[in-house]
Amino acid sequence: MIGRNIHLLSIYSALTQFGGPLSVRLGLLAILNQGPCYGYQLRREFDRRTGSAWPMNIGQVYTTLDRLVRDRYASRMESDGDGQVTYAITDQGRSEVDTWLSSPVVREGASRDELVMKLAIAVTLPGVDIARVIQAQRTATLQLLQSLTRVKNSTTDPTSADELAWLLTIDAMIFAAEGEVRWLDHSEARLVRAVAEGGVEPLPLSGSKVRRGRPVKAAANE
Amino acid sequence: MKFGDGATSVPALVDIDLNVSEGEMVAIMGASGSGKSTLLTVAGGLLPPSSGSVWVDGKNLRECAPRQLSAIRRRTLGFIFQDFNLVPSLNTLENVALPLELDGVRLRKATRIAMEALALVELSEYAGRYPSELSGGQQQRVAIARAVVGGRSLILADEPTGALDSSTSEIVLGMLRDRVDSGASCIIVTHDARHAAWADRIVFIRDGRIVDQARSESPSVLLTRSRPESTP
Ligand SMILES: Nc1ncnc2c1ncn2[C@@H]1O[C@H](COP(=O)(O)OP(=O)(O)OP(=O)(O)O)[C@@H](O)[C@H]1O
Ligand SMILES: [Mg+2]
């Protein structure tokens, strides 16, 4: 019973869980798409665009940046006089960001955080059609909801405890998916209102220099 | 679809191309004022579109004589209005039997069929009550019974679960779903994603335009990978 339901449970946690492992890679890359950043600067930008809901230590930021460089989504630029290393997005990175923003968060393997983080960052970026991001996600979530409903409706009345347990699990997922759609509806309405009340300007990268940077040597050694 | 003329005209529906097949249930979702009820009214021939055409059962409604139109409304079409639209001077049973009687069905037969429809929405005991003596949800179920009575093949439902609790909604949706699975077509307007998910296709409208559609995928992926084998 436990083994058989692993797939369903992964969908369930994707719909309900906050605080699971979160892939911040694309979130950081999307911010980098606005302009080159230092590591500390990138962390600060990420925090201020996501309400500091997923605090990261600087080590995580640099590890992620190193992977982005390795995968050719970002490149390391010349260090300036202060010995700080700047990172810039590549063309390949840019198209990765476009794909991320234009496609819904996939259910398996992702947690609900990823969707929240994505939307939070997306509203701070220039040139992103948020209404489309929301609509694409809503369509995907409704498709999941349709499948779950069909599974539920094709089930005859439970004749054993494990069937009953399974139906309860399906119900829980149905309500969770519905909750997500309602949150998306609400976000859309909030967006419309915000735009009507004078527009939501994208957040520019804050220009001020950050004092602490990654030493050039450490960066070059990796 | 426009409301009004000239300078005061309001476009309510723009470039809508919607085809509903036999055995298909389509849900319409969209914010308040996006044009959902207007779309349903036009689809049901209750309002002629200011341009474009509506086809029901192979007939272009614009080219139908008034007599033909009302025959379609009586026999083919079941409309569930957002505000129920029951006749206040008729009791529950008479309201449900009304479309049959208008269509010339004998009183005794109409009564029998209407009682069956009332049983489906679990209102048999309320047959003699008047609309003013019913709760909002009960009135809504009478309206639903009236719309499906006599095997109508196109059911247009504007928020049919708006006044119903979760389990009563499921009964109503199950009933509509049964009709559709035995060959009827259904368009249902709803704000509730859980109810829209009963449809084969979900159409989103915004400012009178269709902006996206979700089609149900085969649930077999979920089924085969996770359904416990039923104990014999
Ligand atoms: N008879 C009419 N004359 C003028 N404008 C109308 C008329 N009927 C509806 N409208 C307008 O057309 C638009 C669409 O209305 P409609 O009733 O179709 O919305 P809806 O999507 O059903 O909303 P709700 O979810 O609130 O029921 C609205 O802006 C409404 O004000
Ligand atoms: Mg309406």
Side-chain angles (χ1 to χ4, degrees), chain A residues 5 139 143 146 150 163 178, chain B residues 192 194 199 212 216 226 230:
Chain A
N5 271 348
T139 303
Q143 250 159 9
Q146 281 177 303
R150 280 171 69 173
E163 286 188 343
E178 181 202 22
Chain B
D192 191 325
R194 221 159 15 93
D212 205 0
S216 66
S226 50
S230 46

Side-chain angles (χ1 to χ4, degrees), chain B residues 84-106:
Chain B
F84 319 144
N85 250 350
L86 301 177
V87 182
S89 59
L90 299 181
N91 70 24
T92 296
L93 181 63
E94 291 160 349
N95 260 289
V96 176
L98 185 63
L100 299 168
E101 289 181 51
L102 289 177
D103 204 28
V105 178
R106 292 253 189 81

